[in-house]
Amino acid sequence: MYKDTTVFTNDIREIADRVHRLIGNTYIVRYVDLPPIAENRLALLYFFLCENGIARSRAQTLCVTTALIQLGLDIHELVRLQYDDTLPEERNRQLSVLAGDYCSGYYYHLLAEAGELEAIRILAHAVEVINEAKMELYIGEQQNKLPWKSYQALRKTIDTALYVGFVEHYAQTAETRTFWQTLIEKTSAVEQVIEEWEQLQWEQRVPFGFSRYLLQKPGSTIAHVIDAIEQKVMELIGVCEKLVGNLYPSEQQNVLTWLTSRYTHRVDRLKRVVEEL
């Protein structure tokens, strides 16, 4: 459907703007530090829906509601386990939890209003799966008994279940389903590892994830981990580019190529800034 990235990017911008308008006049933006919208995953979902017979206006509605749920889930992940024993800190914690609940719950109203009962079921099931994975991940981290492969599997579920749910329901062939599920999972992994890289570079802290496991190796240092993270990012980007190049019709690759190239541009910017320091 989309061969011109200009039309596609305008649609994605409109979806993001609609999300911001829905929450723009609430207490959320005044008192809570909002995480960024997961725009690349949203763009992949929108492209998938349009390519599989969903009208643009309907696809935009499904993406707006998915973005709201993702935003709510991301806000909840930012809620710390411990806060200072002060009134402002307690209010920050309470407002963050309520803000996440608001974003995650508002999707039901929008989809019910649009008569999208099937989408409600898809997203509600995905949220259930995500929350189960989050609980298992939290318990594993607290007990310090979480193997790397188990962490990867749980993180993949948490980051992609909303989008994979639509793929499983609307994909017209098994090949299409496999392609889109794999692409969403791989691009999500790229995002996760790039975020770890940025936290290591700018915040000088080790997030729980690939970098934490790397540091457990004897003799490993932060410098070694940063190098390994960079190599992992480029490896994952290469996998995404290969997927797009080999498994999708050439005449429809423009938008997907543009989406995967955004990760390369983000990495290049990060490397330039590091070199200039």
Side-chain angles (χ1 to χ4, degrees):
M1 176 180 178
Y2 283 101
K3 298 180 183 180
D4 181 3
T5 59
T6 303
V7 177
F8 179 79
T9 53
N10 287 340
D11 283 357
I12 297 302
R13 189 175 298 111
E14 173 58 24
I15 291 170
D17 289 344
R18 283 177 61 185
V19 174
H20 288 302
R21 288 196 297 270
L22 286 170
I23 63 175
N25 294 323
T26 66
Y27 281 100
I28 294 175
V29 294
R30 292 174 58 186
Y31 297 107
V32 177
D33 292 329
L34 292 177
I37 292 175
E39 193 171 300
N40 268 30
R41 274 173 282 173
L42 202 61
L44 286 172
L45 174 61
Y46 181 65
F47 188 79
F48 162 79
L49 291 171
C50 291
E51 286 291 304
N52 283 269
I54 306 297
R56 285 171 62 187
S57 59
R58 185 184 177 204
Q60 288 176 6
T61 297
L62 298 180
C63 286
V64 167
T65 51
T66 303
L68 283 171
I69 297 178
Q70 185 68 68
L71 195 58
L73 293 170
D74 290 345
I75 292 172
H76 279 161
E77 285 214 19
L78 295 177
V79 177
R80 303 192 304 274
L81 295 178
Q82 294 182 336
Y83 285 78
D84 293 338
D85 189 18
T86 64
L87 184 58
E89 284 283 282
E90 177 62 19
R91 283 179 176 171
N92 179 268
R93 184 190 68 81
Q94 291 175 344
L95 286 170
S96 295
V97 172
L98 291 172
D101 291 345
Y102 176 86
C103 291
S104 296
Y106 196 26
Y107 87 97
Y108 184 89
H109 166 73
L110 294 175
L111 290 177
E113 194 174 53
E116 292 285 356
L117 301 183
E118 189 60 48
I120 291 174
R121 285 191 286 269
I122 291 170
L123 289 171
H125 176 68
V127 170
E128 179 184 355
V129 170
I130 288 169
N131 285 334
E132 288 176 355
K134 282 187 173 183
M135 286 188 288
E136 189 174 345
L137 182 63
Y138 172 76
I139 292 171
E141 289 177 350
Q142 292 302 303
Q143 295 177 346
N144 199 26
K145 296 179 180 179
L146 191 64
W148 168 238
K149 288 186 176 180
S150 297
Y151 173 86
Q152 278 185 305
L154 292 170
R155 190 71 252 175
K156 179 174 66 177
T157 297
I158 292 167
D159 293 337
T160 67
L162 293 177
Y163 313 92
V164 169
F166 282 110
V167 170
E168 291 175 344
H169 187 79
Y170 288 112
Q172 297 176 3
T173 67
E175 183 181 11
T176 299
R177 185 181 303 110
T178 299
F179 167 77
W180 279 100
Q181 181 171 343
T182 303
L183 183 61
I184 289 171
E185 290 173 352
K186 293 301 182 183
T187 53
S188 177
V190 173
E191 291 179 24
Q192 182 68 29
V193 179
I194 290 177
E195 287 175 7
E196 288 191 37
W197 189 4
E198 290 172 341
Q199 290 176 31
L200 286 165
Q201 287 284 8
W202 312 132
E203 301 176 28
Q204 297 296 305
R205 68 183 181 88
V206 182
F208 198 101
F210 184 55
S211 53
R212 183 74 60 89
Y213 284 95
L214 288 175
L215 272 178
Q216 293 175 355
K217 295 181 178 181
S220 183
T221 65
I222 292 292
H224 293 148
V225 170
I226 290 175
D227 288 341
I229 287 284
E230 180 181 344
Q231 293 176 16
K232 187 66 174 179
V233 168
M234 300 313 297
E235 173 192 328
L236 289 169
I237 290 175
V239 170
C240 294
E241 291 173 343
K242 186 175 181 180
L243 273 172
V244 172
N246 293 346
L247 300 179
Y248 215 71
S250 58
E251 67 273 13
Q252 295 171 307
Q253 287 182 15
N254 286 351
V255 170
L256 293 181
T257 301
W258 171 78
L259 282 169
T260 55
S261 70
R262 296 180 71 187
Y263 295 119
T264 304
H265 296 327
R266 184 174 168 186
V267 168
D268 289 343
R269 286 196 300 270
L270 176 58
K271 292 168 71 173
R272 284 198 302 271
V273 172
V274 170
E275 290 171 357
E276 292 170 359
L277 291 178

